[in-house]
Amino acid sequence: MSAISTCLRKYATFSGRATRHEFWIFYLFMNIVLYVPLLLGLSLLTDDSTAGAGIFFIVISIILTIGLVISHLAVCVRRLHDIGQSGSYLLMSLIPFAGPIIMLVAFAKDSQPGKNQYGISEKYPES
């Protein structure tokens, strides 16, 4: 829970570093929060009697997506800072097919020990 609260507290903070654990816990939280109402809404759209509730859940999912997009981008940039990359490295994800794989590898890398140009590592502060 502390990783989620940290990411939500640093909603639009694009400076600093985010550990691998913080990034992946927030990523899991975000996907659960966004896709559960979406899938529930889509399943309710199949029946005319529950279509109104289905639309409600889909709208909730869209509102949550809009609300969490900046926080997600911020934690992605901070995660890239943790491995010693610039936040502009996130643009690699726009490359078709290879981009998401490149980003997956980058996000899975271990923290750069000690201090880098983006701050001191939370995981390896004394290295």
Side-chain angles (χ1 to χ4, degrees):
M1 283 308 253
S2 67
I4 296 167
S5 65
T6 300
C7 288
L8 291 175
R9 249 190 347 249
K10 296 180 177 180
Y11 180 79
T13 304
F14 290 87
S15 61
R17 296 169 72 158
T19 62
R20 184 171 40 185
H21 177 262
E22 181 182 322
F23 172 81
W24 287 110
I25 292 296
F26 186 71
Y27 184 79
L28 176 65
F29 162 77
M30 194 178 73
N31 280 308
I32 290 170
V33 165
L34 298 180
Y35 289 117
V36 166
L38 179 66
L39 293 174
L40 181 61
L42 290 174
S43 67
L44 291 173
L45 283 178
T46 59
D47 188 13
D48 286 340
S49 64
T50 60
I55 291 171
F56 172 77
F57 282 110
I58 291 171
V59 169
I60 292 295
S61 180
I62 291 169
I63 291 169
L64 289 171
T65 301
I66 293 168
L68 288 175
V69 71
I70 293 173
S71 186
H72 175 66
L73 289 173
V75 76
C76 286
V77 168
R78 289 194 316 270
R79 179 71 198 124
L80 289 172
H81 288 173
D82 195 46
I83 63 169
Q85 295 291 333
S86 168
S88 60
Y89 194 76
L90 191 58
L91 295 173
M92 293 285 258
S93 62
L94 299 176
I95 299 171
F97 304 110
I101 295 168
I102 292 169
M103 295 315 301
L104 178 65
V105 170
F107 292 143
K109 283 176 122 178
D110 198 12
S111 299
Q112 191 178 48
K115 185 177 182 178
N116 67 12
Q117 65 267 35
Y118 305 106
I120 297 172
S121 173
E122 292 178 28
K123 187 174 181 181
Y124 305 115
E126 298 178 14
S127 297

